[in-house]
């Protein structure tokens, strides 16, 4: 996710609008950038993917396994998935996305330019599912969870995502990691309270990486390890 862009020189042009089980989702073009809007709220755009790439790279750097597996949630504009696919060290790569429209915009629409064909990589499986429910439902474990489905623990756009950052959501994430696995969580701002929540949930080596932005507080990637 991301904060609204600081750009007032270009009017947005709607490229597609869909109604789904979670409400309305819209793909817009503003100048040279694409934006995803959900239920009237700005979610993300293609202006700057540094922190989304860091989400995946920092998790990989913390793992010693030669072919670790990763679950990315969600697909978004594709920066995280494309970065994972460009790294041959990753083994199995799953990406969870609840909006069918977003998957379509990558497979046959203009967001495909940003995921760069990553959905066709043989290591990749696309899971059309709600990430919070998917984690809670149990199943296979991963070496890394790289999660970016809202603006972070202190500022959610969709209240259904709140559960990811609370005790139940963190317990589910802990269970879905292999021993020694890494949890990476994107946030629109650093959160000391979330660091404490990670420790209370049994995670170790909790720390935060920051990415400076043009205006306002930095983006953050919260990292923690399952002991």
């Amino acid at each position: 996710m991301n904060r609204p862009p600081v750009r007032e020189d270009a009017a947005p042009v709607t490229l597609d609008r869909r109604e789904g089980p979670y409400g309305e989702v819209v793909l817009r073009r503003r100048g040279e950038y694409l934006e995803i809007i959900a239920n009237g709220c700005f979610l993300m755009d293609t202006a700057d993917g540094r922190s989304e790439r860091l989400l995946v790279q920092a998790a990989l750097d913390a793992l010693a396994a030669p072919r670790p597996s990763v679950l990315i949630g969600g697909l978004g504009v594709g920066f995280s998935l494309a970065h994972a696919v460009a790294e041959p060290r990753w083994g199995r790569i799953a990406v969870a996305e609840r909006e069918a429209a977003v998957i379509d915009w990558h497979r046959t629409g203009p967001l495909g330019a940003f995921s760069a064909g990553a959905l066709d990589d043989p290591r990749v499986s696309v899971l059309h599912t709600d990430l919070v429910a998917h984690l809670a439902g149990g199943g296979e474990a991963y070496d890394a969870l790289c999660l970016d489905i809202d603006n972070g623990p202190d500022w959610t756009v969709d209240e259904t995502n709140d559960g990811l950052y609370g005790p139940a959501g963190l317990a589910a994430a802990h269970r879905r990691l292999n021993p020694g696995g890494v949890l990476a969580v994107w946030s629109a701002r650093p959160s000391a309270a979330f660091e404490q929540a990670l420790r209370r949930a049994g995670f170790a080596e909790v720390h935060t990486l920051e990415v400076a932005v043009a205006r306002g507080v930095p983006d953050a990637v919260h990292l923690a390890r399952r002991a």
Side-chain angles (χ1 to χ4, degrees):
M1 300 298 167
N2 217 323
R3 55 180 55 81
V6 184
R7 291 193 306 275
E8 300 178 354
D9 56 331
V13 176
T14 297
L15 303 179
D16 194 11
R17 185 188 306 271
R18 308 273 187 98
E19 286 288 343
Y22 306 97
E24 181 189 69
V25 60
V26 177
L27 181 66
R28 303 194 311 197
R29 184 180 300 279
R30 186 188 294 269
E32 61 185 298
Y33 304 111
L34 299 178
E35 303 173 339
I36 296 177
I37 311 295
N39 295 317
C41 296
F42 174 91
L43 289 185
M44 68 198 77
D45 70 3
T46 58
D48 182 1
R50 289 175 299 152
S51 55
E52 290 89 343
R53 297 182 185 101
L54 178 64
L55 178 77
V56 172
Q57 190 62 49
L60 181 62
D61 290 345
L63 293 167
R67 298 283 288 171
S69 58
V70 59
L71 171 64
I72 298 171
L75 178 55
V77 297
F79 287 136
S80 295
L81 178 62
H83 192 77
V85 166
E87 174 52 70
R89 258 195 68 199
W90 285 116
R92 180 167 49 93
I93 302 170
V95 57
E97 174 56 57
R98 74 181 193 177
E99 296 288 353
V102 172
I103 298 172
D104 288 347
W105 294 334
H106 281 278
R107 290 201 182 280
T108 60
L111 286 179
F114 298 92
S115 50
L119 275 67
D120 296 322
D121 188 284
R123 296 171 294 169
V124 171
S125 56
V126 179
L127 310 177
H128 179 204
T129 184
D130 178 81
L131 176 69
V132 178
H134 178 69
L135 290 175
E140 61 186 312
Y142 299 87
D143 296 307
L145 301 176
C146 297
L147 309 183
D148 175 13
I149 62 165
D150 213 302
N151 282 321
D154 296 338
W155 178 26
T156 52
V157 171
D158 186 336
E159 64 181 14
T160 64
N161 292 329
D162 289 347
L164 177 66
Y165 307 107
L170 293 180
H174 194 277
R175 290 192 300 269
R176 298 297 292 273
L177 281 170
N178 290 320
V182 173
L183 172 66
V185 178
W186 190 94
S187 178
R189 62 186 65 167
S191 175
F194 185 60
E195 287 188 344
Q196 291 301 317
L198 288 166
R199 294 186 180 97
R200 288 194 298 270
F203 287 96
E205 300 178 31
V206 176
H207 62 288
T208 300
L209 303 178
E210 297 183 2
V211 177
V213 297
R215 193 171 79 181
V217 297
D219 292 341
V221 174
H222 295 288
L223 293 160
R225 187 183 300 276
R226 175 180 174 177

